[in-house]
Amino acid sequence: MFRFLKNKKKNKELEEILSRLQMNVSNNYKDAAQQNLAEFADRLRQLEASGDVDGALRAQYEEILRQYREQMANFTHKDQKPYWT
C-alpha cells in the first residue's frame, strides 16, 4: 500500500508502468489495466534477463506483480454481469 516508504531504490521505467496501471485500475479501465499488467510483466522479465533489476529490487517488483495478478484475476469486461439480468 505504502510502496514509497519501503525502498528508495526503484526502476523509473517500471514505476511509470505501475503508475499507469494504478490509474487505469482506479478508473475501472479494465482492458487498459490488463494491458499495463502484461506490459509490466514483460518489461520486468526483460530487465531481469539483462541484469538491470536484481536482488531486493527484483523481489519487490515480483511481489507487486503477484499482488496485481491476484487482484486482477477476474478484472475484465467479459466477466462483468449486466445489471438488468
Side-chain angles (χ1 to χ4, degrees):
M1 182 173 174
F2 295 106
R3 287 192 336 239
F4 63 91
L5 295 176
K6 288 185 179 179
N7 192 349
K8 297 290 183 189
K9 188 176 179 183
K10 296 178 182 179
N11 181 291
K12 186 176 181 180
E13 186 176 1
L14 290 176
E15 289 297 319
E16 193 270 333
I17 296 169
L18 283 175
S19 174
R20 285 187 284 140
L21 172 62
Q22 182 57 41
M23 181 182 64
N24 287 326
V25 168
S26 65
N27 288 324
N28 205 28
Y29 298 150
K30 296 176 181 181
D31 295 335
Q34 291 290 350
Q35 288 175 346
N36 293 140
L37 182 62
E39 179 186 3
F40 177 76
D42 290 343
R43 189 61 187 145
L44 179 59
R45 298 292 173 247
Q46 291 172 358
L47 291 171
E48 287 172 351
S50 67
D52 291 335
V53 174
D54 58 352
L57 187 59
R58 176 178 173 236
Q60 178 183 351
Y61 283 125
E62 287 287 340
E63 178 62 21
I64 291 169
L65 179 61
R66 185 195 64 77
Q67 289 174 357
Y68 271 114
R69 280 186 173 156
E70 188 177 290
Q71 175 186 350
M72 295 175 58
N74 294 319
F75 194 68
T76 62
H77 287 293
K78 69 178 182 176
D79 294 329
Q80 186 174 353
K81 303 290 185 208
Y83 65 89
W84 58 85
T85 59

